[in-house]
Amino acid sequence: MAAAAERDAGSSADPNLVLTLIYFLTIGAIVLGTAVYFFVMARITEPEVRLMELINTQREVQHLIDNLSSQFNNFWRLPLRWRAMKPYYTHHTLSWVFILTLITSVVVLVVALSLGIAQVARVSTLTYVASLNALFMTRQHLYYIRRTYLTYDAEYYLVLDTTKFYHFDISVFNIVQIIILIIEFLQLLSFPIRDLLDALNLARNQNSGDNDSGTASFIIGVITMFANLSSKFYVIQFWFLFSVIAGIALVMTVIHVYNAWRPQTPIALYWVKYLLPLANLLYLPMLVMLIGSAACLSKIGTDDAADAYSGLLRCADPSVIKPLYLALTVVAYTVGYVILTAFVTSFDRIPIQGEIHYRSQGVAFLKNMSMLLSIDFLLVSNAFRHIRSILSLVIVLSMVCFNINTQPCFVDQINYWRTYGFCCILWVALIVTMLTNETKTLSEVGIGGVAAALAVGAVIILVLFFAVRFIRHKAKNKQHVSEERGMLVNGSTEDTRVSQQDRSSISFGLSTAAHQHNSISNSMVVVNPQT
């Protein structure tokens, strides 16, 4: 530690200062670039087209606000009686279990902070954050079930579920979406890479006593926008995030109260749509910094206290009051996680052909699993490093299976390459699981051997993906030719490419929508018999 301090003192530029400046400058550039983009696009668009886009935007934003309100109502309204839980016994029972776990962990955390029991405070912090994510995932899953089967817009959601494109256009909007996907991939990849770097440094320290993780950690921080929690700038970083989240909650509360008070003259909310790219891009950096703050503060006074003074997490500043900052971090994460997750998963619209858009169910699942991955790597103790690696394997594998089965993006190519990215992260997580506790093997192989194994695995996965795509494309062409021959032989003009299963599902959806429409009409007649 002394050698590291002397090396930092002798350096010309503090890497923590550079990384913190890059973080804030990047956020400023993203906000400014988003504003300039929408301003320029609004000015170069013809007035008639701009008017139609404004009308569509207002309709989409209203739909987003309705979904957001429905999510919050579904989150807070939990039945107490067993009969009232019918038919969603599992969802409501799990929700109450997670709520009791939340309450218990809060009580234990307060007592542990009051008595100064560091290890108990750390375990209760992990339990609280994990229970909060599990509770919100359970309530969101119930929300999507209810929306699919009980909504009045059954035909709208039926179209959303069946819409699919095979290619996307080259446009500014799609380029921004691809950039967001690349940044998301790098952010998720950074978690197992960090554990791998820690294991390599541990093996190197046992042989040479030198620690050279600063450069790698700096590069990871720049690429993924996860700034180091520097002891010099931790207070600034923390209060910046706390102020942003408090401001978002305050603005939402003021708008909701005012619109409920003056429904005749509500506040126009068309500008909410412009915040979606920012929320998607800054979702992980903001929430992961709060989880990093909780992880760093909870490590003070435990066996992993060295991580609170060096490495990626440094919050051991004399001016930092651990109980106060840890409690505020938990509050900020709770508010920020609930609001941001509900916001980014409430936007559902039928995309234009060639545009890159996602189904909100897919966004909800992948965002929540990304947060579980960050919780796993940041809050689980280093003493359970191997278990942490196994949990990361399970999380990433579930993301791969979900992306293959559900295909959350409307564009088939995006689903294809996103699955490849998740498979690469899975391969890195597998390497980390195998080599985490193998210090002797790591010292023999070295960083070059590990890098070669990662590269070879990525290339093999890419070859397999190209082979699967070629086989699928060939089978699809054969099916298309056989269907055309069948049409010529039978003389039928029906499009036989639509499978019987698709027809039955569409007819079932339309019949369900018609049944719901009749039910609504009957209920209206009962309410007002004069009509």
Side-chain angles (χ1 to χ4, degrees):
M1 186 179 296
E6 293 177 1
R7 187 164 55 249
D8 291 339
S11 60
S12 57
D14 187 356
N16 297 300
L17 174 61
V18 175
L19 193 55
T20 305
L21 290 177
I22 290 176
Y23 179 79
F24 286 109
L25 289 176
T26 303
I27 293 178
I30 291 172
V31 174
L32 181 61
T34 303
V36 171
Y37 168 75
F38 285 114
F39 178 81
V40 172
M41 294 301 295
R43 291 296 178 271
I44 64 176
T45 306
E46 297 180 359
E48 295 81 4
V49 178
R50 191 190 314 167
L51 179 61
M52 292 299 299
E53 289 181 351
L54 181 60
I55 295 174
N56 291 331
T57 298
Q58 290 177 344
R59 187 184 301 114
E60 293 169 359
V61 169
Q62 185 59 47
H63 197 70
L64 183 150
I65 294 173
D66 292 340
N67 289 340
L68 190 62
S69 177
S70 299
Q71 284 207 56
F72 283 131
N73 290 334
N74 181 77
F75 183 77
W76 295 113
R77 294 180 180 178
L78 282 84
L80 289 171
R81 295 181 301 173
W82 181 256
R83 293 181 179 179
M85 295 182 183
K86 185 179 180 180
Y88 308 109
Y89 295 111
T90 304
H91 290 83
H92 293 310
T93 303
L94 287 176
S95 298
W96 279 114
V97 169
F98 293 138
I99 288 176
L100 292 176
T101 307
L102 281 173
I103 296 174
T104 304
S105 60
V106 168
V107 174
V108 173
L109 178 61
V110 171
V111 173
L113 291 177
S114 302
L115 300 178
I117 309 175
Q119 192 64 41
V120 176
R122 181 177 185 181
V123 174
S124 59
T125 302
L126 170 62
T127 305
Y128 176 85
V129 175
S131 300
L132 176 65
N133 282 56
L135 172 63
F136 199 81
M137 289 180 67
T138 304
R139 304 308 298 173
Q140 270 199 327
H141 187 258
L142 178 59
Y143 161 74
Y144 284 114
I145 291 177
R146 285 174 165 172
R147 193 188 73 170
T148 302
Y149 296 104
L150 301 179
T151 181
Y152 296 152
D153 297 332
E155 296 181 1
Y156 179 83
Y157 292 114
L158 178 63
V159 174
L160 278 178
D161 292 337
T162 55
T163 301
K164 186 177 181 180
F165 307 127
Y166 291 96
H167 304 283
F168 60 89
D169 300 330
I170 302 300
S171 62
V172 177
F173 177 82
N174 286 343
I175 292 175
V176 172
Q177 293 293 325
I178 293 174
I179 293 174
I180 292 176
L181 280 178
I182 295 173
I183 294 177
E184 177 191 63
F185 166 75
L186 295 175
Q187 289 171 345
L188 295 178
L189 184 65
S190 68
F191 292 116
I193 288 293
R194 284 177 175 182
D195 254 19
L196 186 60
L197 288 175
D198 289 341
L200 286 169
N201 289 323
L202 181 61
R204 185 183 304 170
N205 291 341
Q206 291 186 355
N207 293 333
S208 63
D210 188 22
N211 190 347
D212 192 24
S213 62
T215 303
S217 300
F218 178 81
I219 295 174
I220 291 176
V222 172
I223 294 176
T224 62
M225 291 192 300
F226 295 157
N228 283 3
L229 293 175
S230 169
S231 58
K232 298 179 181 178
F233 309 103
Y234 169 74
V235 176
I236 298 175
Q237 292 170 332
F238 173 80
W239 285 112
F240 169 76
L241 280 179
F242 189 87
S243 302
V244 170
I245 293 174
I248 293 173
L250 179 62
V251 169
M252 290 183 63
T253 304
V254 170
I255 292 176
H256 177 74
V257 171
Y258 181 84
N259 288 348
W261 178 46
R262 295 287 183 86
Q264 298 83 6
T265 57
I267 299 176
L269 299 175
Y270 65 90
W271 48 270
V272 173
K273 181 182 177 181
Y274 304 143
L275 301 179
L276 277 169
L278 295 176
N280 278 295
L281 187 58
L282 299 177
Y283 178 87
L284 276 179
M286 291 180 64
L287 295 181
V288 168
M289 281 193 69
L290 289 173
I291 293 178
S293 174
C296 184
L297 291 168
S298 62
K299 287 179 179 179
I300 298 177
T302 65
D303 295 336
D304 296 331
D307 291 338
Y309 299 89
S310 62
L312 291 165
L313 303 175
R314 281 186 278 184
C315 58
D317 189 90
S319 63
V320 174
I321 305 174
K322 176 183 174 179
L324 174 63
Y325 275 80
L326 184 56
L328 291 178
T329 298
V330 170
V331 172
Y333 176 77
T334 302
V335 176
Y337 169 72
V338 172
I339 291 178
L340 288 177
T341 306
F343 180 69
V344 299
T345 57
S346 295
F347 186 67
D348 262 323
R349 79 175 184 91
I350 301 174
I352 303 173
Q353 185 170 0
E355 280 189 355
I356 300 176
H357 278 287
Y358 305 91
R359 298 175 179 86
S360 61
Q361 298 96 318
V363 175
F365 181 83
L366 294 177
K367 292 291 186 185
N368 282 303
M369 297 307 289
S370 300
M371 293 310 304
L372 286 179
L373 190 66
S374 64
I375 292 170
D376 176 46
F377 276 105
L378 293 178
L379 285 177
V380 177
S381 173
N382 290 337
F384 304 97
R385 197 182 299 249
H386 199 64
I387 298 177
R388 183 170 67 192
S389 302
I390 294 175
L391 288 175
S392 68
L393 274 178
V394 175
I395 294 172
V396 180
L397 182 60
S398 64
M399 296 172 72
V400 172
C401 296
F402 178 86
N403 203 70
I404 294 174
N405 182 53
T406 308
Q407 297 186 359
C409 185
F410 291 102
V411 181
D412 188 61
Q413 286 186 346
I414 298 299
N415 292 320
Y416 177 84
W417 289 110
R418 203 178 192 188
T419 303
Y420 171 73
F422 288 151
C423 287
C424 290
I425 298 173
L426 181 64
W427 171 247
V428 176
L430 180 61
I431 294 294
V432 172
T433 304
M434 292 188 299
L435 299 179
T436 294
N437 295 325
E438 300 295 332
T439 307
K440 183 178 179 180
T441 304
L442 281 173
S443 60
E444 293 176 355
V445 174
I447 191 171
V450 175
L454 296 177
V456 170
V459 172
I460 292 176
I461 295 173
L462 182 62
V463 172
L464 291 176
F465 264 70
F466 276 123
V468 171
R469 187 174 186 179
F470 175 77
I471 294 172
R472 287 183 58 190
H473 183 70
K474 193 174 181 180
K476 190 179 297 183
N477 289 338
K478 286 184 178 180
Q479 182 182 3
H480 181 69
V481 171
S482 62
E483 289 173 352
E484 288 184 346
R485 289 177 180 174
M487 291 173 60
L488 293 175
V489 171
N490 298 328
S492 173
T493 57
E494 183 183 5
D495 187 6
T496 57
R497 284 175 293 177
V498 180
S499 64
Q500 187 66 29
Q501 183 179 0
D502 293 336
R503 294 184 202 136
S504 62
S505 62
I506 293 175
S507 62
F508 172 77
L510 294 177
S511 64
T512 304
H515 176 71
Q516 291 175 352
H517 178 74
N518 294 333
S519 301
I520 298 167
S521 302
N522 295 334
S523 63
M524 292 174 63
V525 172
V526 172
V527 173
N528 189 5
Q530 296 180 357
T531 60

